[in-house]
Amino acid sequence: MSRRIKISVRLSEEEHAYLKQQSANAGLKMEPFVRRLIMGKEIHPRPPDTYAALLRELSAIGNNLNQIARVANTTREAAPEQLAQAQALVTAAWKLLKEGV
């Protein structure tokens, strides 16, 4: 898509600083940020960089819990060590959430 039309807008220093901050919060440059505003698209703040690591850790914890549940369902019993491991994984997940938010 070629954009041939250019529009100039005059802003005060405060307005420019605000626009710059809002576009940075969204993780966009100012031009794409303004384009999205004009098109009426929802603009959400960019999630912190720690969220990707948090999602990976939570995925690994979920996989471990699934493996424990599979063994417990197959043998129809769960060893105390397995339950302790599951509890530790849930605790770790909560810790990650509290640190990441």
Side-chain angles (χ1 to χ4, degrees):
M1 172 196 249
S2 66
R3 293 185 172 97
R4 300 177 312 193
I5 300 172
K6 180 180 178 179
I7 298 175
S8 296
V9 177
R10 295 192 184 273
L11 301 173
S12 67
E13 288 186 28
E14 294 83 21
E15 291 168 335
H16 181 258
Y18 184 76
L19 175 61
K20 195 172 184 178
Q21 182 62 47
Q22 292 300 309
S23 63
N25 289 346
L28 298 168
K29 292 184 179 183
M30 284 193 283
E31 192 173 319
F33 181 79
V34 171
R35 252 190 247 113
R36 287 185 184 190
L37 285 175
I38 290 169
M39 297 304 291
K41 295 186 178 178
E42 263 189 74
I43 300 174
H44 301 285
R46 186 180 79 189
D49 295 335
T50 56
Y51 274 33
L54 177 64
L55 287 174
R56 278 193 301 278
E57 289 296 322
L58 287 174
S59 178
I61 289 169
N63 286 336
N64 288 342
L65 285 172
N66 283 338
Q67 290 172 359
I68 291 169
R70 190 177 310 122
V71 169
N73 285 331
T74 302
T75 63
R76 295 286 184 223
E77 60 184 53
E81 304 86 39
Q82 291 172 321
L83 295 175
Q85 184 182 7
Q87 180 61 44
L89 291 171
V90 170
T91 301
W94 275 109
K95 183 179 176 189
L96 286 171
L97 282 172
K98 287 179 183 177
E99 290 173 358
V101 176

